[in-house]
């Protein structure tokens, strides 16, 4: 228990030596997580935005061997490739007879109409919403959205997403006050990031309880 509490309150002292000892494998692991979160539909729960922010904060700390010059282009390439794979999976899934029958008619027409009107904006801004950024490329592929337009939104959305999160993380990580209280602030960030999920889960439970009582 004491070791666990120490790790929580001394995150840089615990994590940075691990990063430094792994060397280049650090980047392989980080980029693989981003690729899996965006490219494989079964992993929307993996960290994406928070991973870029936190690792960029680590890059600003003294003694860290994590380099922004590698992180930013690496995250960008991993996310673009992940979204592209997700789109291609969508184009293959729609060829399955079962799925094709389920989506035929008004459902497919509505999806295609939506992407014809808002496709580029949905791809760019959907990148900033957890879970949504995993499914937008898949649905755009299923809806047969033009690949060229998809890639334009993909590249623009990923570029803004990676650069803004990386710069924000690095900037905050370079502030002396943040460095002095890094573990506390990081834990607070993680807790705040989890609150929406906890809140919606609570609302869902309350709603289910009310429905069950009224049956």
């Amino acid at each position: 228990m004491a070791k666990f509490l120490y790790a929580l309150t001394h995150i840089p002292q615990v994590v940075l030596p691990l990063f430094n000892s792994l060397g280049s494998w650090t980047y392989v692991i980080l980029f693989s997580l981003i690729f899996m979160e965006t490219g494989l539909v079964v992993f929307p729960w993996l960290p994406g935005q928070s991973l870029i922010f936190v690792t960029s904060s680590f890059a600003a700390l003294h003694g860290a061997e994590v380099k922004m010059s590698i992180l930013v282009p690496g995250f960008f390439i991993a996310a673009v490739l992940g979204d592209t794979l997700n789109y291609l999976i969508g184009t293959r899934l729609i060829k399955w007879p079962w799925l094709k029958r389920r989506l035929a008619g008004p459902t497919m027409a509505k999806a295609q109409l939506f992407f014809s009107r808002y496709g580029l904006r949905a791809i760019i801004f959907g990148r900033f919403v957890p879970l949504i950024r995993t499914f937008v490329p898949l649905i755009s592929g299923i809806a047969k959205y033009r690949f060229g337009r998809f890639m334009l939104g993909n590249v623009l959305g990923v570029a803004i997403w990676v650069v803004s999160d990386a710069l924000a993380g690095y900037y905050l990580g370079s502030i002396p006050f943040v460095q002095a209280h890094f573990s506390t602030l990081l834990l607070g960030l993680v807790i705040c990031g989890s609150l929406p999920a906890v809140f919606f889960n609570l609302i869902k439970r309350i709603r289910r309880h009310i429905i069950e009582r009224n049956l």
Side-chain angles (χ1 to χ4, degrees), residues 123-209:
I123 293 167
I124 293 174
F125 295 111
R127 162 57 54 181
F128 293 86
V129 184
L131 298 181
I132 296 297
R133 63 170 161 262
T134 303
F135 291 102
V136 166
L138 180 74
I139 297 171
S140 62
I142 291 174
K144 301 178 182 178
Y145 187 59
R146 278 177 25 200
F147 182 71
R149 293 284 291 175
F150 169 78
M151 285 304 298
L152 176 61
N154 182 16
V155 170
L156 288 176
V158 169
I160 299 170
W161 183 63
V162 169
V163 171
S164 60
D165 287 330
L167 289 180
Y170 188 84
Y171 172 75
L172 288 177
S174 63
I175 298 174
F177 176 82
V178 175
Q179 293 183 355
H181 304 85
F182 189 85
S183 298
T184 304
L185 294 173
L186 182 57
L187 286 174
L189 180 66
V190 171
I191 293 172
C192 289
S194 331
L195 286 179
V198 174
F199 175 77
F200 285 117
N201 188 49
L202 180 62
I203 294 296
K204 185 178 179 181
R205 287 177 178 271
I206 294 174
R207 182 182 176 185
R208 183 186 305 166
H209 179 68

Side-chain angles (χ1 to χ4, degrees), residues 112-127:
Q112 291 176 337
L113 179 62
F114 172 84
F115 275 98
S116 67
R117 291 180 177 177
Y118 311 108
L120 194 61
R121 280 175 283 179
I123 293 167
I124 293 174
F125 295 111
R127 162 57 54 181

Side-chain angles (χ1 to χ4, degrees), residues 30 33-34 37 43-52 133 161:
L30 294 175
L33 288 173
I34 293 295
E37 191 239 2
F43 293 111
W45 45 268
L46 285 174
Q49 203 159 355
S50 57
L51 182 66
I52 296 174
R133 63 170 161 262
W161 183 63

Side-chain angles (χ1 to χ4, degrees), residues 23-165:
S24 299
W25 284 106
T26 301
Y27 301 109
V28 174
I29 295 170
L30 294 175
F31 301 154
S32 296
L33 288 173
I34 293 295
F35 175 80
M36 291 167 63
E37 191 239 2
T38 57
L40 304 178
V41 187
V42 293
F43 293 111
W45 45 268
L46 285 174
Q49 203 159 355
S50 57
L51 182 66
I52 296 174
F53 183 88
V54 171
T55 51
S56 299
S57 300
F58 282 144
L61 299 178
H62 298 299
E65 294 184 8
V66 184
K67 305 298 181 185
M68 287 288 286
S69 58
I70 301 177
L71 284 180
V72 173
F75 282 138
F76 172 80
I77 293 171
V80 168
L81 291 178
D83 276 358
T84 305
L85 174 63
N86 213 344
Y87 173 90
L88 294 175
I89 290 174
T91 62
R92 298 297 184 272
L93 285 178
I94 194 57
K95 294 180 180 179
W96 290 9
W98 177 83
L99 186 62
K100 195 171 184 178
R101 286 195 302 269
R102 291 292 298 269
L103 298 178
T107 302
M108 179 59 73
K110 288 179 181 179
Q112 291 176 337
L113 179 62
F114 172 84
F115 275 98
S116 67
R117 291 180 177 177
Y118 311 108
L120 194 61
R121 280 175 283 179
I123 293 167
I124 293 174
F125 295 111
R127 162 57 54 181
F128 293 86
V129 184
L131 298 181
I132 296 297
R133 63 170 161 262
T134 303
F135 291 102
V136 166
L138 180 74
I139 297 171
S140 62
I142 291 174
K144 301 178 182 178
Y145 187 59
R146 278 177 25 200
F147 182 71
R149 293 284 291 175
F150 169 78
M151 285 304 298
L152 176 61
N154 182 16
V155 170
L156 288 176
V158 169
I160 299 170
W161 183 63
V162 169
V163 171
S164 60
D165 287 330

Side-chain angles (χ1 to χ4, degrees), residues 1-15 183 187:
M1 186 64 180
K3 290 183 178 179
F4 178 71
L5 291 175
Y6 177 84
L8 285 179
T9 55
H10 298 78
I11 293 174
Q13 291 84 350
V14 173
V15 176
S183 298
L187 286 174

